Amino acid sequence: MDALQQHLFDSYRAARRGEPAPPAPGTHDLAVLRELRDHRRFARVVAGRPATGRLTAALRRLVRGLGRRRAPGSPVRPS
């Protein structure tokens, strides 16, 4: 049973019991991701590590690393 089928089953059961229907699948996904991000940032601050800049630093390292690679068969440039 996938999430949509479970939601339909729960909605049917709630309607039969006169209860409010549950939220649709995926309704609160972005809020959960934001909460997770905030919790991880808080944990990093409490542990004494920098809370921001990890993604930017990782992308910077990746771009620098890609710039240093050379295509196979290309001549080696003297440094």
Side-chain angles (χ1 to χ4, degrees), residues 37-52:
R37 180 195 63 200
D38 292 344
H39 176 73
R40 290 179 59 119
R41 283 182 177 173
F42 177 74
R44 290 185 65 80
V45 169
V46 169
R49 297 188 306 259
T52 59

Side-chain angles (χ1 to χ4, degrees), residues 28-44 54:
H28 303 291
D29 287 355
L30 289 178
V32 169
L33 291 175
R34 284 188 200 107
E35 288 287 330
L36 178 63
R37 180 195 63 200
D38 292 344
H39 176 73
R40 290 179 59 119
R41 283 182 177 173
F42 177 74
R44 290 185 65 80
R54 294 181 331 152

Side-chain angles (χ1 to χ4, degrees), residues 6 8-22:
Q6 182 66 45
L8 292 173
F9 180 71
D10 291 341
S11 298
Y12 172 76
R13 182 175 43 199
R16 299 271 304 192
R17 293 180 177 176
E19 299 170 353

